[in-house]
Each structure stands twice: as C-alpha cells, then as structure tokens.
Amino acid sequence: MTLAAASGHPVSAYQLERWRRRGLIPEPEIRRLGRSGSEALYPSGTGDLVCALARHAKPGRTYDDLALLVFFDGGQVPELALKLALARAYFGQRAKHRDEVVRVTGAVPPAWADELGAEYEVAEAEARISLAENGRAVRQMRINLRRLPELAHASREGVDARLLGVLTGLERIRLPSEDLVFMADLTAALDLECERGDDCLAVWDYAAVCHASQMATYSETSPVERFDALMHAGPQDLIGLRAEITAHFDQVWTRASQGRRTRALLDEPSMARGAGAALVEWMSARVVHPPGSTMADRYFIESLADLDIRCLIAAVHVSHADGGTGEGRAQFIARTRGRTV
C-alpha cells in the first residue's frame, strides 16, 4: 500500500485482497517467527505488479481487463490469471463472431448453399459481416471501385455487389487468382498505386491480414486444441508472443497515423482485449506459416507483396485473354442480383 501510494495510485487493503483472491497478485509465503507470530513474504516484483494494477484500475474495468492491461504494459502477471484473461478475450470474441457467421449463412436458401459449397458460404458470410460493419477499409474500397468506368454512376447496391465479391475472395481459404474478373476488381479495390492518401493503408492492412492466412498451409484446429496450447505455453513463450503482437500493433498504428505515432496505445480495455485475442490466434496460426515467420512481417510486408505480384500476373493474363466472366463470378451475380440474403 505504501509503494502504491508513493506511485500516485493508492490502493486499499480491500482492493489488494480482491486482487489476491482473483489471482492478480501472488499468494505470499507465510513464514513462522515462533512466539513473535508470522510474516508474509511476497515474491520479488510484487510491489511493481501492485503499482501497475493500481495505475490501470479504473471504474468499470474487470479483473481480466486489469490482467491484460498490465501484461501488455510489460508487467509480470501471475500465469493462471493471465491465461484465463487471454482465453476469455479470445474465445468470447470468437464465439460471438462464429454465432454471427452462423446467423448469416443460415439465411442463405439451401439450393444456393449447395451450389457453391460450405467453404464459399462461410467466406461470403464473413464478407457480409465486414460489409455491414462498413469500416474504414470497406469504405475506401467502395470509393476505389467507383473509379471503374462501369461503376462511376452505379447505385450503392450495384457497387456493394461487386465489393462483396472482392471481400468474399479475400475471405476464402485460397485466393481465387484464376478468376480474372475477380482479380481485376480486387486490383481496383486495393489501389496499390495509391499515394497513401485517404484510407489506402487501412485497405492494405485489411487485405494483407486476410491474404496472410491464404498463404499459410491450411490446417483444421479446434477450440480445445487452442485452449490446451495456451494452457501449456510457458512464461517466456507468452513474453515472446507479446513482443510479436505489440510490434504488429505498433506497425499498424504507425501506418494508420502516417508516421505521426509509432506506438500503439494498448492502455484501453478494448485494445488490450484485441491484442490478447490476436496473441491466442497467432499462437496457433504461426504453426502453419514458414518457420521463423513473425506476425508483423507475415501480416503485412510478405502478404501485401504477394498480393501485388498476383494482381500484376492477373493483369498480364487479362491483356492476352478474350474476356469472359471468370470462374465463380457468373454464379455470384446470379445469386446476388436483386436479392438480399
């Protein structure tokens, strides 16, 4: 309590006891002193941990929030409390998103679902969710597509039908590079020749994250396997993963601010939860990427470079082709023209 008060963030005995019960601070070693009674000896670093918890403790923040905020601030959080906070951040977000995907795919008429298969349906559901969220990247891709002559005066619904096709292709297990019409729309939506104005970097980040998984070796996993991997991870492994996640977030933040800020602010619960979920995701995802891959490089530099090459190759093929609708495009238009799923 004296250390916390000296740091400018005083805590009460009641707060300390609640943190101890929740596993946020370690149990002390009780040492008997004979007739003089006993003393409680806390592990080295507990004082710094208490000061960090006090610094981040604000009304409305949960114990999980505190664990993640202190961890991504560089603190040493007791292992069990940290892992439970990471698990709840990841699996809670994953379950909510999975339920939304199920809801969207459930609205697809059975005949349409059978026509294109479950993998396509899930990809399109992911794309519809992104389109509905209408984030910076999606808004900029819509602007980019409108630069195509045939879409310059098209309705919002017409542009969004093409944009949905682009987003669906990015969400598929493998990028449909053989679909030259899709690749032409993808090239227009990405606008890789952009001078980094508007929200071009948001578009590139979104596309790079999607394509990074398409570059990996596809492998099925389960929530149980991911949970076991998290529970068996050692303290040093978690620290190494933290370094990768913060480096990735710093790079995204630097690009988003066009270099004005080089450090991501992970001092809000929503940001800490997002970083925690990304850590658990990458813990499993890194296994299917080439050895030595880092999240920061794989999720932007390598991925975007590969997308650029694929777009250039597709452009060369289009210039020598006789035209055509491209594999998957005719089916997509038939499903979506004039319909709302």
Side-chain angles (χ1 to χ4, degrees):
M1 290 171 64
T2 302
L3 288 170
S7 73
H9 302 279
V11 296
S12 66
Y14 178 59
Q15 274 182 299
L16 288 175
E17 179 59 18
R18 285 188 301 168
W19 290 346
R20 186 190 64 78
R21 287 178 181 271
R22 291 286 180 163
L24 290 174
I25 57 177
E27 293 280 355
E29 176 190 349
I30 305 301
R31 183 173 296 178
R32 301 298 176 185
L33 300 177
R35 293 182 178 181
S36 300
S38 61
E39 65 178 358
L41 297 178
Y42 283 93
S44 176
T46 303
D48 292 336
L49 173 60
V50 168
C51 290
L53 288 167
R55 185 167 63 253
H56 288 287
K58 293 182 180 179
R61 292 183 173 179
T62 67
Y63 297 114
D64 284 347
D65 289 339
L66 287 179
L68 295 174
L69 287 164
V70 171
F71 176 66
F72 285 108
D73 195 23
Q76 291 185 324
V77 180
E79 187 175 334
L80 181 57
L82 172 60
K83 287 180 176 179
L84 290 175
L86 288 168
R88 281 189 276 258
Y90 175 71
F91 291 105
Q93 178 179 320
R94 186 175 186 270
K96 182 178 179 181
H97 183 72
R98 181 201 59 209
D99 291 344
E100 182 65 7
V101 170
V102 170
R103 185 190 69 79
V104 175
T105 54
V108 177
W112 291 358
D114 293 341
E115 182 181 7
L116 293 176
E119 186 268 333
Y120 186 94
E121 294 305 329
V122 171
E124 189 179 77
E126 298 273 10
R128 286 187 179 278
I129 292 169
S130 295
L131 190 61
E133 290 173 347
N134 200 33
R136 291 172 58 192
V138 169
R139 293 196 300 271
Q140 186 61 45
M141 279 194 262
R142 187 182 292 115
I143 292 170
N144 294 344
L145 282 174
R146 278 200 178 276
R147 297 192 182 109
L148 293 173
E150 69 271 25
L151 293 179
H153 302 291
S155 65
R156 168 73 172 264
E157 291 75 17
V159 176
D160 278 0
R162 296 277 284 273
L163 179 53
L164 182 61
V166 170
L167 298 176
T168 300
L170 286 171
E171 293 289 353
R172 298 195 67 176
I173 293 175
R174 290 286 175 263
L175 190 75
S177 303
E178 74 285 350
D179 184 343
L180 299 183
V181 174
F182 161 76
M183 291 302 293
D185 280 358
L186 175 65
T187 301
L190 295 183
D191 191 12
L192 293 171
E193 301 301 321
C194 172
E195 294 297 328
R196 299 199 178 192
D198 302 319
D199 282 326
C200 292
L201 287 168
V203 171
W204 299 347
D205 269 314
Y206 175 88
V209 168
C210 289
H211 187 53
S213 64
Q214 295 173 328
M215 295 171 63
T217 302
Y218 182 72
S219 176
E220 292 280 354
T221 186
S222 70
V224 173
E225 290 173 329
R226 293 193 174 199
F227 184 78
D228 285 346
L230 174 60
M231 289 299 108
H232 286 92
Q236 291 306 311
D237 195 24
L238 291 175
I239 290 173
L241 286 163
R242 177 178 65 188
E244 286 199 55
I245 297 302
T246 53
H248 170 64
F249 273 61
D250 287 346
Q251 286 193 11
V252 172
W253 195 267
T254 301
R255 292 191 293 267
S257 66
Q258 297 187 12
R260 291 188 295 273
R261 294 183 179 179
T262 58
R263 293 288 305 275
L265 301 178
L266 302 180
D267 56 354
E268 290 295 328
S270 60
M271 289 292 289
R273 288 186 215 117
L279 185 150
V280 179
E281 176 73 24
W282 180 243
M283 180 181 291
S284 294
R286 61 180 175 170
V287 176
V288 294
H289 287 282
S293 295
T294 64
M295 187 178 185
D297 290 342
R298 196 67 176 171
Y299 271 33
F300 189 78
I301 300 171
E302 296 177 24
S303 179
L304 196 63
D306 189 75
L307 269 177
D308 192 13
I309 291 172
R310 288 173 183 269
C311 288
L312 288 172
I313 292 173
V316 171
H317 287 171
V318 168
S319 67
H320 291 88
D322 296 327
T325 58
E327 183 178 323
R329 175 59 62 192
Q331 292 173 312
F332 173 74
I333 292 176
R335 291 183 56 189
T336 57
R337 181 179 292 150
R339 298 176 184 271
T340 301
V341 177

